[in-house]
Amino acid sequence: MQLHFTLNGEPVELEAEPFTRLAPILADELGVASVRTPCGIGRCGACMVLVDGRPVNACLLVAGKVEGTEILTAEGVTEAAKPVIDALERHGAVQCGYCAPGLLVSLAAAHKGPGDMKAEDVEALLTGNLCRCSGYAGLRKAIADVFA
């Protein structure tokens, strides 16, 4: 099928099988470095993207469902998520960086300016994002800093 969507503000048109997962399309065909698929079953959050503003595991979403959507990856939310990035750095919330893009995408979805979610709601939102090396103390401090 011919597929059309917007990726990080740029129009994309490509041929894809409707049941091909979005993650390999983004990573392999479009060269998006931030989309990773270590688990492939939607448990780790390393492939998290925003589809029309909602966080979605790209390893589970099929291509046929993204026709006409706006997709943002970590590369596309970096500027808008600057307060989140600054807090993550300030509190040492990212170590190896493998999970960082997915965490950033999920946090960017929660951070929309005045009236942001409360810290405890943000922590609940992040249950689908796993970090194996930093622990969660720095992340919790960063969330409390931004979403206080």
Side-chain angles (χ1 to χ4, degrees), residues 8 15 19 22 24 29-30 34-35 37-38 60 77 93 96 99 103 114-115 124 130-131 140:
N8 298 328
E15 187 71 28
F19 293 105
L22 181 60
E29 293 184 39
L30 299 174
S34 67
V35 177
T37 54
L60 298 179
V77 300
C96 82
C99 66
L103 284 167
L130 298 178
C131 177
R140 284 190 174 105

Side-chain angles (χ1 to χ4, degrees), residues 30-54:
L30 299 174
V32 178
S34 67
V35 177
R36 301 170 175 138
T37 54
C39 79
I41 58 172
R43 289 205 166 173
C44 71
C47 65
M48 198 69 67
V49 298
L50 297 182
V51 178
D52 292 336
R54 291 187 1 243

